[in-house]
Amino acid sequence: MITLNDARKIIAAAEAKAQEIGQPMNIAVADAGGNLIAHVRMDGAWLGSIDISIKKAFTSRAFDISTKDLAANSQSGQQFFGIHASNDGKVMIFAGGIPLKKDGQVVGAIGVSGGSGEQDHSVAEAGAAAF
């Protein structure tokens, strides 16, 4: 289980990384059911990325895979092609979502949006590492 306190620590670590790279981000943490626990929109982060960060966290938990890896497998001709159309459009297929594990079990996820895919993924990794 991820508590609100856990989510705050995850977000704080992700925020620190976003500040380090100079890119304001939207950062979301979801529970084991893919439901939002906490979200932060850093000053100056894109409004459009609020929804994307939340959906990246959902996607990562729903499929227990990083959205970066899901993206690679969802291109034309790949095994998950078309997956983005599932779940009423809640599936995001670009980098920035990472499952959160405890004792080898996925218990939630972090979703980050507001920069390049590489930036989003690195900020999500920093948040995940704090868990």
Side-chain angles (χ1 to χ4, degrees):
M1 177 171 131
I2 298 176
T3 65
L4 178 58
N5 192 46
D6 292 331
R8 287 178 174 150
K9 289 176 187 175
I10 292 163
I11 288 172
E15 275 188 281
K17 179 65 174 180
Q19 289 170 343
E20 177 187 314
I21 64 172
Q23 183 62 50
M25 299 282 190
N26 284 279
I27 305 159
V29 176
D31 65 14
N35 302 298
L36 183 66
I37 297 174
H39 176 270
V40 166
R41 177 179 166 259
M42 295 174 67
D43 293 341
W46 296 331
L47 292 173
S49 289
I50 295 169
D51 180 63
I52 294 169
S53 66
I54 294 167
K55 287 180 178 174
K56 284 182 183 182
F58 167 81
T59 300
S60 193
R61 174 54 190 111
F63 298 103
D64 295 343
I65 187 173
S66 76
T67 55
K68 179 180 177 180
D69 291 339
L70 184 61
N73 285 290
S74 63
Q75 301 306 306
S76 181
Q78 298 298 312
Q79 64 180 337
F80 298 134
F81 180 68
I83 198 168
H84 66 281
S86 71
N87 292 275
D88 295 320
K90 287 175 63 175
V91 176
M92 291 288 130
I93 56 169
F94 40 93
I98 296 177
L100 299 171
K101 296 181 180 181
K102 187 170 190 171
D103 300 325
Q105 298 284 3
V106 177
V107 295
I110 181 172
V112 176
S113 184
S116 69
E118 188 175 294
Q119 289 172 322
D120 291 356
H121 189 76
S122 71
V123 170
E125 284 183 318
F131 183 62

